[in-house]
Amino acid sequence: MPLAGPRPEPKGLGRDLRIDACRGLALWCIFLNHFPNNIGSWLTLRNYGFSDSAEVFMFVSGVTCALAYGSAHSRDGWPGVITRTLWRSWDIYAAFLLLTIACAIMVYLTGGGRIADESNTRLLLEHPGAALAHAAILQYRPVNTDVLPIFVVYHLLFAPLLWLLLRVPNVTLGASLLLYALVHVFGWTVPAWPNNVWFFNPLAWQLLVVLGAWCVIAGKGVWPWMTCRIALVLAVLYLTFSLIVALSWWLTTLEDLVPQALASVVYQVDKSDLAPLRLLHFLALAILAVWLVPRDWQGLPMPLMRAAIRCGENSLAIYCLGVLLALASQIALADISNGLAMQIALSLAGILLMIAAATLLNSIRIKPRQPRLI
């Protein structure tokens, strides 16, 4: 959740554990959604509304970037901010390249076949030189690694974004909204290879990162509106409507509840360009979360939440591990068994391994560190 205030200063109020908890839960849900035909995906947001965990992950990353880089600005000035953004961009860039190679190796060891097509690694296996060259400039990505190149770019650009947010926050948010609108009007995108398509269009998804950072730096004025009862009622109504529509994708008996005039609109909720219905659904979820999960929520010390917090504190490593575990689970479902018991076992084993890895990373940490980014 955003911490309202004139300047991002995490030390004053202490670390908000809800940020890491939200990110950790999002990482679990992303893992469950990343391998197909998984019964565990019914525990995630994807099947109960227009948006899913990707929106949560993007928004919370904007919050943590504003907190961490804002703190660096207070301590070390703009040289400190630029240094940290460059190092973090490099960390994510290196993780992306290593993850790309690791995915290709896993698919190669299993014999390729249908998995190579489904994971978009056949190009890398058959044309390694061209694929790696395009991966190096962020134009080629195996399936489920798409978010990492976006964050490489976002972190590189966060220093000028922070400069604008600290001086003209509302104008900056307005410019982000305008860019988002122009993407939907003119179909703007960023070049990619080989089909010129980014699964997450960075020109559209930047809005959630900017919105998260804006909430930290200049969100004090919007806080009373988010906590009023009218906003809560509107959010609940919209979430109920999206729930009916989402379930109607699976249950034909609910199709009659969706007006025909709206059917052509609500049944084409594009994820690549962050469709407005998805954005509104996320905002409604955020309002509901503000009401249900206060800063001193008693559930945060519970073991499940503590495990999620650990994963959220190590988000880059756990995200990469989740991609590999999802690919391994997809291979297991294809080669061993796709039965219900196997789906449940793989889902539980994957989340437990993510928790174990995060716990290990926390245990070997030498000294306290700033809020983890992405």
Side-chain angles (χ1 to χ4, degrees):
M1 293 297 101
L3 303 175
R7 191 168 289 250
E9 216 22 272
K11 291 183 179 179
L13 293 174
R15 189 183 184 96
D16 192 339
L17 296 179
R18 295 175 299 174
I19 296 174
D20 293 321
C22 284
R23 192 160 46 175
L25 291 172
L27 287 168
W28 294 352
C29 293
I30 289 171
F31 160 71
L32 293 175
N33 289 331
H34 270 179
F35 62 99
N37 303 320
N38 176 28
I39 190 66
S41 65
W42 284 95
L43 298 175
T44 70
L45 293 172
R46 185 178 68 177
N47 296 311
Y48 304 102
F50 298 138
S51 67
D52 57 27
S53 305
E55 283 82 356
V56 177
F57 194 70
M58 289 285 187
F59 176 82
V60 174
S61 295
V63 171
T64 55
C65 283
L67 290 171
Y69 293 140
S71 179
H73 174 257
S74 299
R75 294 191 317 269
D76 307 317
W78 290 111
V81 174
I82 294 173
T83 300
R84 289 202 67 188
T85 56
L86 291 177
W87 274 113
R88 193 55 179 174
S89 296
W90 169 253
D91 287 344
I92 301 171
Y93 179 73
F96 164 67
L97 293 182
L98 291 174
L99 182 60
T100 297
I101 296 172
C103 289
I105 292 174
M106 286 184 63
V107 174
Y108 174 78
L109 292 176
T110 59
R114 180 169 58 89
I115 298 296
D117 295 321
E118 294 178 353
S119 62
N120 194 30
T121 55
R122 183 173 295 280
L123 281 169
L124 182 55
L125 295 174
E126 295 182 352
H127 309 283
L132 287 175
H134 284 281
I137 58 175
L138 307 179
Q139 288 190 331
Y140 165 74
R141 302 160 304 280
V143 169
N144 300 332
T145 66
D146 306 77
V147 72
L148 295 180
I150 290 179
F151 276 107
V152 172
V153 176
Y154 287 167
H155 281 275
L156 283 174
L157 298 177
F158 205 88
L161 173 62
L162 181 62
W163 187 89
L164 290 170
L165 284 170
L166 290 174
R167 285 157 179 79
V168 284
N170 294 334
V171 174
T172 304
L173 179 61
S176 177
L177 283 167
L178 177 61
L179 176 58
Y180 171 79
L182 292 175
V183 166
H184 286 274
V185 173
F186 297 107
W188 291 350
T189 187
V190 177
W193 184 84
N195 54 8
N196 210 36
V197 173
W198 281 60
F199 185 73
F200 292 96
N201 185 350
L203 299 179
W205 283 82
Q206 53 79 28
L207 176 58
L208 283 174
V209 177
V210 174
L211 182 61
W214 178 87
C215 286
V216 173
I217 295 172
K220 187 175 181 180
V222 77
W223 190 256
W225 180 86
M226 290 190 67
T227 55
C228 72
R229 293 188 179 278
I230 295 178
L232 177 63
V233 170
L234 292 176
V236 171
L237 289 175
Y238 186 75
L239 291 174
T240 302
F241 167 71
S242 63
L243 174 63
I244 294 173
V245 173
L247 291 179
S248 71
W249 297 336
W250 307 96
L251 304 174
T252 56
T253 56
L254 295 177
E255 288 183 355
D256 295 335
L257 297 178
V258 181
Q260 291 298 320
L262 294 176
S264 60
V265 176
V266 299
Y267 286 136
Q268 297 183 8
V269 185
D270 179 56
K271 184 172 183 176
S272 294
D273 291 333
L274 185 60
L277 290 177
R278 295 182 66 96
L279 179 62
L280 290 174
H281 186 262
F282 166 76
L283 294 176
L285 285 173
I287 293 172
L288 187 63
V290 167
W291 276 82
L292 297 180
V293 187
R295 187 184 178 89
D296 58 350
W297 182 48
Q298 299 299 316
L300 288 173
M302 295 174 59
L304 183 65
M305 287 296 101
R306 291 178 64 85
I309 289 169
R310 291 193 194 101
C311 290
E313 290 172 343
N314 301 278
S315 54
L316 177 58
I318 300 305
Y319 179 85
C320 294
L321 176 61
V323 171
L324 295 177
L325 290 173
L327 180 56
S329 300
Q330 183 177 355
I331 294 171
L333 289 177
D335 295 345
I336 302 176
S337 170
N338 62 352
L340 183 61
M342 177 65 79
Q343 297 173 35
I344 295 174
L346 291 173
S347 298
L348 291 175
I351 291 177
L352 289 175
L353 285 172
M354 294 165 75
I355 295 171
T359 303
L360 177 62
L361 289 173
N362 277 3
S363 67
I364 63 177
R365 190 177 303 168
I366 298 176
K367 60 181 180 178
R369 303 184 65 175
Q370 296 298 321
R372 295 301 182 92
L373 309 175
I374 186 235

